[in-house]
Amino acid sequence: MPDTLRPARVDPVPLATLAALARAELRGPAAGSTAGILICGVTHDSRRVQPGDLFAALPGAHTHGARYVADAVTAGAVAVLTDPAGASLINREVPLLICADPRKTLGPVAAAIYGHPARALVTLGVTGTNGKTTTVFFLDAGLRAAGHRTGLLGTVMTRLGERTVPSARTTPEAPDIQALLARMRDDGITAAAMEVSSHALALHRVDGTGFACVGFTNLSHDHLDFHGDMENYFAAKARLFRPDFAPKAVIVVDDEYGRRLADTAPIAVRTVSGRPEHLPPDRRPDWRVVAVRAAAAVSPTRPAGQVATVAGPIGEVELSLQLPGRFNLTNALLALAILVEVGIPVEAARAGIGDLAGVPGRLELVDAGQPFAVLVDYAHTPEAVATVAREVRPDRGRLIIVIGCGGDRDPSKRPAMGAAAAELADLAIFTSDNPRSEDPEEIVAAMLTGVPAVTADRRAEIRVELDRHEAIKDAIQAARPGDVVLIAGKGHEQGQEIGGVVHPFDDRLAARDALRSCGWAA
């Protein structure tokens, strides 16, 4: 993220004030040398230091940020926040803030430096395994319909008003979050919706951010390479539902983790269910889907939207969506409930949600006039693949899935990904996703171990094509009128990482190339 997304002007904060906030030891190279030092910005990246910055030298997986203090000071850093181990590595004469866990204090320190910008905005946060991106886009649409000028932080993009920049990760590092929110505030933006990842919560990236309301979508198998097990994964998500982050929350209770969170969160909670008929008898959610029907289809190959009657504290209302899938209806209802909780008029919220035509890389249609549907989706967990596959399966045609698994990421989910595709598709083509440093053949081999769990009478035809471009082409060549081709895993991504090199690659463009090669005009 370029530093031009910092606020244009910052009221300097005394270093001593930040030391007190962080409960840090303030150590100068000489007696009295820290007196009068003022901080104008903060970063953890020595390449992005600006004059007057506090440089956060954090412990890392491979090296310590303290090794870059000389570069940071040369670029204009006037003080360093670090831990005792980092302090022992620093041989430059520079004031130090030393605390046991600098990552944990960095968020509140950055918020103080930039004037606690989240307080000036209607700031909304959404966490969960699947559905965060779409829910945040629904929130953004509802806020806009209500007259807010909005910002958005998420997997697909970072947007400040009408200005859009790529996102490096789902949730930025703490200094970047606070700088972005401050820039939004200074640019006249009045509301912001943010995806909050489990990594961000575990690594304290959103600490110091105050939300008006937070939301939870669901929890299923993902990121266990980082969290270790589902309990730790859940605990990371649950951190967001505390008074130091938000006074209230809206939680989808369609899975056991949502119900557990709703029962234990120490803040005010509203509950949502997209499938209330599946809930235990003693559960009556505050918001629920009462009835749903498909909207009129635009074309035989374009998935139809939906019209639902939903009930909540404001009574029953009709909610129309251009997006297909019951899971998207649940995302929309979650967004509607959050918007109502923060005072957005229900009519404006409904209108904005209904106006959202799509989300990049989320069931995104690739249409070149072919007599079958081609959909690109970000589904990259077993639960997401299964949910999307069930929703897009055609009544009469076949479902063809192109799917892979990322390298250097949670290998335990690979057999389940393979099993989901094998069970729910008619033809499944196993291919590379982002293999990163791993051997693509070994990744696919792990996926194939899940296939025998599917009985032979229900099992898809399985093909292996490690070249993702060729796999997409094979799927489209195999498609017949009325079929659905689902290209899963990468969604909006525009690169493929192989052996440490990111090569340009976009599933949507690959699909268009394949359609063109098969004689369909793009």
Side-chain angles (χ1 to χ4, degrees):
M1 185 180 61
D3 287 328
T4 54
L5 294 183
R6 286 193 189 196
R9 181 183 175 278
V10 173
D11 292 328
V13 180
L15 183 61
T17 300
L18 299 177
L21 173 64
R23 297 181 180 178
E25 175 192 351
L26 178 54
R27 184 188 301 172
S33 60
T34 63
I37 293 178
L38 299 176
I39 302 298
C40 301
V42 57
T43 183
H44 65 289
D45 187 338
S46 62
R47 298 164 297 183
R48 295 170 52 191
V49 169
Q50 295 185 9
D53 273 0
L54 172 68
F55 175 59
L58 306 177
H62 305 293
T63 189
H64 201 294
R67 299 189 183 280
Y68 300 94
V69 165
D71 293 338
V73 171
T74 299
V78 295
V80 175
L81 170 67
T82 194
D83 60 3
S88 70
L89 296 173
I90 297 170
N91 53 21
R92 289 292 296 262
E93 292 192 352
V94 59
L96 303 178
L97 297 185
I98 305 171
C99 58
D101 191 348
R103 184 175 284 280
K104 191 173 182 178
T105 63
L106 182 55
V109 165
I113 290 170
Y114 293 121
H116 301 282
R119 297 175 183 174
L121 310 170
V122 178
T123 307
L124 308 175
V126 179
T127 196
T129 303
N130 301 310
K132 297 187 297 296
T133 298
T134 301
T135 303
V136 163
F137 270 75
F138 277 134
L139 287 171
D140 181 77
L143 290 166
R144 286 186 173 211
H148 281 281
R149 187 161 184 258
T150 63
L152 184 151
L153 290 82
T155 307
V156 172
M157 67 177 70
T158 297
R159 198 186 68 241
L160 298 84
E162 302 308 314
R163 181 185 179 190
T164 299
V165 296
S167 293
R169 52 171 56 93
T170 297
T171 311
E173 292 285 353
D176 298 333
I177 289 175
Q178 300 305 326
L180 279 166
L181 293 174
R183 184 59 181 259
M184 290 179 188
R185 173 199 63 202
D186 295 351
D187 288 353
I189 289 169
T190 56
M194 181 193 308
E195 294 181 53
V196 183
S197 70
S198 59
H199 286 69
L201 287 159
L203 296 173
H204 302 283
R205 292 178 193 158
V206 291
D207 286 22
T209 304
F211 297 91
C213 186
V214 292
F216 176 86
T217 59
N218 50 65
L219 198 77
S220 63
H221 188 156
D222 201 13
H223 304 308
L224 299 193
D225 55 320
F226 179 79
H227 296 290
D229 56 36
M230 289 297 293
E231 278 302 302
N232 288 335
Y233 186 24
F234 174 74
K237 295 288 191 185
R239 281 198 73 236
L240 187 62
F241 299 82
R242 303 188 322 198
D244 50 324
F245 284 113
K248 52 189 172 181
V250 180
I251 296 171
V252 177
V253 292
D254 288 336
D255 68 19
E256 60 175 302
Y257 293 103
R259 294 190 287 273
R260 180 173 160 192
L261 182 60
D263 290 342
T264 58
I267 57 177
V269 168
R270 292 283 194 186
T271 57
V272 166
S273 176
R275 293 188 179 273
E277 67 275 12
H278 294 164
L279 291 179
D282 59 341
R283 285 276 179 184
R284 184 173 177 82
D286 298 304
W287 291 84
R288 65 191 185 280
V289 174
V290 176
V292 60
R293 60 180 171 83
V298 176
S299 75
T301 60
R302 180 183 293 270
Q306 51 196 314
V307 180
T309 301
V310 300
I314 45 81
E316 289 192 358
V317 296
E318 188 175 90
L319 189 60
S320 296
L321 303 184
Q322 297 185 52
L323 280 61
R326 191 65 176 261
F327 60 94
N328 274 327
L329 177 55
T330 303
N331 295 334
L333 184 55
L334 172 59
L336 179 69
I338 292 172
L339 291 167
V340 170
E341 281 297 309
V342 297
I344 300 300
V346 67
E347 290 304 315
R350 287 175 58 238
I353 289 169
D355 284 343
L356 184 67
V359 178
R362 274 49 175 186
L363 283 186
E364 186 171 349
L365 181 72
V366 181
D367 189 359
Q370 74 278 2
F372 50 87
V374 178
L375 300 169
V376 171
D377 194 78
Y378 192 55
H380 61 282
T381 70
E383 181 66 27
V385 170
T387 299
V388 172
R390 291 188 182 104
E391 291 286 356
V392 303
R393 167 169 280 285
D395 292 334
R396 296 177 183 173
R398 300 173 305 153
L399 176 61
I400 302 171
I401 293 179
V402 178
I403 189 169
C405 289
D408 302 332
R409 301 288 188 274
D410 193 1
S412 65
K413 71 180 181 182
R414 293 170 188 171
M417 294 276 283
E423 180 177 0
L424 297 168
D426 297 287
L427 168 60
I429 302 176
F430 290 4
T431 189
S432 294
D433 189 289
N434 289 306
R436 300 184 175 89
S437 70
E438 289 195 65
D439 182 343
E441 289 188 9
E442 293 182 2
I443 296 173
V444 168
M447 295 174 64
L448 289 168
T449 65
V451 173
V454 182
T455 58
D457 61 316
R458 299 176 60 185
R459 191 182 304 161
E461 176 191 349
I462 306 295
R463 299 180 189 174
V464 174
E465 173 49 74
L466 297 179
D467 185 308
R468 191 173 181 91
H469 201 287
E470 288 300 316
I472 292 170
K473 184 177 179 180
D474 288 352
I476 286 172
Q477 286 178 333
R480 301 192 292 255
D483 287 351
V484 171
V485 176
L486 173 63
I487 305 168
K490 290 174 61 60
H492 64 284
E493 293 179 358
Q494 297 180 38
Q496 184 179 34
E497 186 175 345
I498 304 171
V501 178
V502 178
H503 304 269
F505 195 98
D506 187 318
D507 281 351
R508 297 161 294 188
L509 297 180
R512 289 197 179 278
D513 288 344
L515 286 166
R516 191 179 300 113
S517 72
C518 293
W520 301 103

